[in-house]
Amino acid sequence: MTLKKLVVGNWKMNGHKSDLPELRAISDVASQQNNADVAICVPATLIEPAVNAVSSMAIGAQDCHANENGAHTGCLSAAMIAECDAQYIIVGHSERREDQGESNVDVKAKAIAAMGANMHAILCVGESEAQRDSGNAVTIVVEQLLESLPDIRNDFDGTNLSIAYEPIWAIGTGRIPSLDDVAEMHLAIRHALVEYYGDAGHNIHILYGGSMNGSNAHDLMKIANVDGGLVGGASLSAEKFAPVIAAA
Ligand code: PEP
């Protein structure tokens, strides 16, 4: 089954109101592409201005709290993000797993919260370089995935959840796994999703992330079960992001 490609930019802690014209330029590129859905996950401060600035792509957030409200200084609930008309929330990015000590249990709770607020959760998994070198990356990532997946199976059709496979050692380094390694990992993730969710597992986008750019996106997107990309550095300008969107 071929899913419509989904290409999501992750601006991380980059972007000010002065960058809204760049977002508009990316939206213009997206408007010329019918073969892919495009979104940019911006810093929280830009969600509402970005939603108001663009018309041809979705806007997302980079994290949410698992609770609906309460004494959690500095955090945002999924409902608050939904109120700004964002459509996506990244959960479990390796930078948050590392910097904020987020566990698989935390990530699962955040994914459930995001989906419960009618948002599309993009759940990130990926191995470290040492884990890749150990030869056990597939087993490790599938285990991480199974511990992080939202356990909501009733009426779940798979359309509001994506998985981003992001080898940690490939993020921001300019290095990517071999295409065979990407294919092996995405197939293993697909099998795990179908085993966990049944047929709905076929509808879940599996994005590749980690130094995807205009030079490698075409080869990566051609791989079976690579249903799009999660893109950091190369999503920061329309010039760099346009060839990635075109490759989709
Ligand atoms: C990311 O952080 O999600 C990412 C994929 O970054 P980059 O494309 O810069 O490697």
Side-chain angles (χ1 to χ4, degrees):
M1 176 168 161
T2 309
L3 299 173
K4 186 178 183 186
K5 296 275 198 248
L6 171 63
V7 185
V8 182
N10 173 15
W11 273 23
K12 311 191 185 194
M13 199 172 72
N14 297 293
H16 293 267
K17 287 191 181 160
S18 56
D19 295 305
L20 290 173
E22 199 62 55
L23 278 175
R24 256 184 240 115
I26 295 172
S27 173
D28 288 346
V29 172
S31 72
Q32 291 149 29
Q33 267 293 341
N34 294 326
N35 297 335
D37 289 321
V38 179
I40 301 270
C41 294
V42 295
T45 49
L46 275 190
I47 293 173
E48 198 150 29
V51 165
N52 293 330
V54 305
S55 52
S56 302
M57 65 178 187
I59 295 298
Q62 301 169 12
D63 178 51
C64 67
H65 197 279
N67 292 2
E68 283 178 30
N69 45 48
H72 305 289
T73 303
C75 298
L76 298 176
S77 71
M80 292 169 180
I81 294 166
E83 213 168 50
C84 298
D85 291 327
Q87 294 175 44
Y88 292 85
I89 302 183
I90 297 173
V91 295
H93 191 281
S94 60
E95 287 156 13
R96 291 197 61 86
R97 288 179 183 264
E98 172 78 23
D99 296 353
Q100 273 74 34
E102 291 183 4
S103 67
N104 293 334
V105 172
D106 298 327
V107 173
K108 177 199 281 246
K110 286 174 182 233
I112 291 170
M115 293 163 72
N118 291 321
M119 311 271 303
H120 183 132
I122 300 172
L123 194 167
C124 303
V125 292
E127 81 282 2
S128 67
E129 184 152 31
Q131 289 169 330
R132 170 59 63 183
D133 291 344
S134 74
N136 296 321
V138 171
T139 308
I140 288 165
V141 169
V142 168
E143 195 176 292
Q144 187 187 28
L145 175 74
L146 292 175
E147 287 179 8
S148 305
L149 280 177
D151 42 5
I152 40 166
R153 287 172 230 203
N154 290 347
D155 297 332
F156 175 58
D157 68 0
T159 53
N160 55 350
L161 175 67
S162 293
I163 306 303
Y165 165 57
E166 299 206 305
I168 299 168
W169 53 272
I171 294 178
T173 59
R175 297 160 56 207
I176 63 168
S178 73
L179 300 183
D180 283 348
D181 284 348
V182 174
E184 181 189 30
M185 186 65 82
H186 280 240
L187 182 62
I189 291 174
R190 177 69 66 209
H191 282 155
L193 291 172
V194 171
E195 199 164 310
Y196 196 86
Y197 291 119
D199 277 349
H202 291 293
N203 297 332
I204 298 174
H205 283 73
I206 308 174
L207 313 180
Y208 169 79
S211 294
M212 184 182 266
N213 58 40
S215 309
N216 58 30
H218 189 71
D219 288 340
L220 287 163
M221 301 263 197
K222 273 196 313 202
I223 298 171
N225 294 301
V226 174
D227 307 308
L230 181 58
V231 184
S235 72
L236 290 172
S237 72
E239 191 190 351
K240 286 189 187 155
F241 205 25
V244 179
I245 296 171

